[in-house]
Amino acid sequence: MKTVQAIRGMNDVLPERSPLWQYAEAQMRALYASYGYSEIRTPLVEDTALFRRSIGEVTDIVEKEMYTFNDRNDESITLRPEGTAGCVRAALQHGLLHNQIQKLWYTGPMFRYERPQKGRYRQFHQFGAEVFGLAGPDIDAEIIIMSARLWQRLGIAEHLTLQLNTLGTAESRANYKADLVAYLQQHVARLDEDSQRRLSTNPLRILDSKSADTQQVLDDAPEFFAYLDEESRTHFDQLCAFLDAAGVAYEINPRLVRGLDYYGKTVFEWVTSALGSQGTVMGGGRYDGLVEQLGGKSTPAIGFGMGVERLLLLLEALDVVPADVTQTVDACLLAMGDDAERVKLQLAERLRSAVPDLRLQTVLGDGSFKSKMKKADKSGARLGFIVGDDEVAKQVFTVKNLRKDAPQVHIAWSDTDALLAVMKEALQESI
Ligand code: ATP
Ligand code: MG
């Protein structure tokens, strides 16, 4: 019989790789904590209308990437393709936005029906942050500086570049759109098929086209900066000044637009060349209009979403994962002989009580001493606590360093200080 397989584009994280996920998650939590963000957890499924209204009807996500179903009550529901809409929905529903500043973060799976390939999946994960109630460029800068700090912490800073742009106000975009469309219509035959279609639906996205011909046509197109309103220009200049002062380098990319309609003013992406064509690790921007669009009072807002899978691929490609991340066991306890077998679980509990945070694996099951030593070695443990019938008679452990040649020592079961000391020494070696 054929075994059941996972849904295409949806991945298992196997035990071998989960420490890497936990490492990245721990780094993110620490980062958010150090900037005063609080976690928000929202459902994976929302009313379809939420995404249609926020992301935009004529975006790739809403047009062709959403997992939308009717539930048993015939309501249209959608697996969330991104985190911002749900965050805004929850903040509105629970009155978090009224005269308040909120700095929120979230993590979890997102779902998009895309062609699966390296760095692009149908269930993928994001770390995201959203800030509500701050209109000035200082928060735009802080959020970018925070991400730059993350790259530093992870040891990948020199492999990511920051692309920055401003999309101005809705009014300036509308003026620009009209002139851009008028220009592109004169060259419609040279545009790729997608861009031809977007001419009438979502012309700004054409700026983002991967087609070399289209990009060539765009070389002589009107530039958005000329249409930028005074307020957005000042906001952008101030943002750049904050980044300059903080020493965060950026490239201004006037063709950077994002795939979601709710952005205005600041947009940014962190991009790497180390992952092939799926090189955008993080994307974000300001969305001052969205809260009102979803029925709330006008509220300034900014956020970002980072692809966790792409981040992890990058950490691995650059070989910057600290060695101790994948080490999940500190010590193994091995028992040999009937007397020792009888007390092994008890002794393991004693060790766990004596050494808080000790990651101890008891070698279970029958077998020769050699096969048990092999299991202990395979666990990655640094120390072996060996108990044979002799040790039971003397009430001691024989402690053996499994990673280097060092004399064995005997430590009494009750000598908590000596047990602590030997573990501390072994753990220091591993750092
Ligand atoms: P792309 O241009 O690569 O399709 P996007 O603009 O659609 O990205 P966003 O909606 O901004 O992506 O999502 C933020 C981040 O989530 C992306 O920068 C990327 O790292 C990650 N991401 C988006 N879609 C996927 C996917 N299908 N699989 C894995 N990661 C993804
Ligand atoms: Mg996409």
Side-chain angles (χ1 to χ4, degrees), residues 217-291:
V217 173
L218 286 169
D219 285 342
D220 297 317
E223 293 229 339
F224 181 64
F225 264 81
Y227 295 73
L228 199 57
D229 56 290
E230 193 54 38
E231 190 204 322
S232 302
R233 186 186 299 271
T234 309
H235 187 100
F236 191 65
D237 289 345
Q238 286 173 339
L239 166 60
C240 292
F242 277 124
L243 294 179
D244 291 338
V248 175
Y250 51 88
E251 278 171 23
I252 296 177
N253 175 359
R255 293 191 193 166
L256 176 66
V257 287
R258 315 244 22 264
L260 304 96
D261 275 356
Y262 49 63
Y263 289 110
K265 286 190 177 159
T266 310
V267 287
F268 66 93
E269 283 187 356
W270 284 98
V271 185
T272 179
S273 55
L275 290 181
S277 51
Q278 266 58 253
T280 307
V281 178
M282 176 190 283
R286 191 165 266 288
Y287 53 93
D288 293 343
L290 183 59
V291 173

Side-chain angles (χ1 to χ4, degrees), residues 44-109:
L44 302 194
V45 187
E46 299 272 1
D47 188 330
T48 302
L50 175 68
F51 302 115
R52 305 193 81 95
R53 269 196 229 161
S54 54
I55 297 167
E57 293 283 352
V58 287
T59 55
D60 281 354
I61 295 180
V62 171
E63 273 186 340
K64 51 188 188 201
E65 294 175 0
M66 291 206 305
Y67 278 89
T68 298
F69 310 91
N70 279 12
D71 70 6
R72 289 173 189 277
N73 201 24
D74 240 11
E75 319 264 5
S76 179
I77 60 174
T78 296
L79 298 183
R80 65 181 186 192
E82 55 95 61
T84 304
C87 244
V88 173
R89 196 266 312 135
L92 275 174
Q93 185 174 336
H94 302 287
L96 304 188
L97 301 181
H98 186 63
N99 284 336
Q100 291 176 72
I101 292 166
Q102 293 288 351
K103 296 168 93 176
L104 307 175
W105 72 269
Y106 57 83
T107 185

